[in-house]
Amino acid sequence: YAPTEGNESIADCLLCPDGFACPDVAMTELRAEHVCIAGFFCSSNSSTNDDSTTGGTIDIRDEQCPIGFYCPAGSHQPIPC
């Protein structure tokens, strides 16, 4: 993920922020469809892109929320119940 121009090396790339997934290479912006979906959490540098369960739409998820916790959309870690 690199939202700026003039990058010279891999060190100029940023990790995908908490609560988002960066499923594509050469991403330049984060959009609403990159927010981690409810029921899952996406920690820094998540890159999962699974469109198999949504009939072709991008479904951003990283790790499923565990038992005893809840994860609203945009979660970067599970929240205890």
Side-chain angles (χ1 to χ4, degrees), residues 24-66:
D24 302 315
V25 295
M27 286 184 58
T28 59
E29 64 182 353
L30 295 173
R31 298 187 304 261
E33 64 262 23
H34 297 137
V35 173
C36 195
I37 64 171
F40 293 80
F41 65 99
C42 299
S43 52
S44 182
N45 208 27
S46 295
S47 61
T48 303
N49 178 1
D50 179 1
D51 65 358
S52 61
T53 61
T54 59
T57 60
I58 294 175
D59 183 6
I60 299 297
R61 61 180 80 200
D62 191 22
E63 297 185 50
Q64 190 167 18
C65 204

Side-chain angles (χ1 to χ4, degrees), residues 1-2 6-14:
Y1 163 66
N7 300 311
E8 296 180 3
S9 74
I10 191 76
D12 295 326
C13 296
L14 304 174

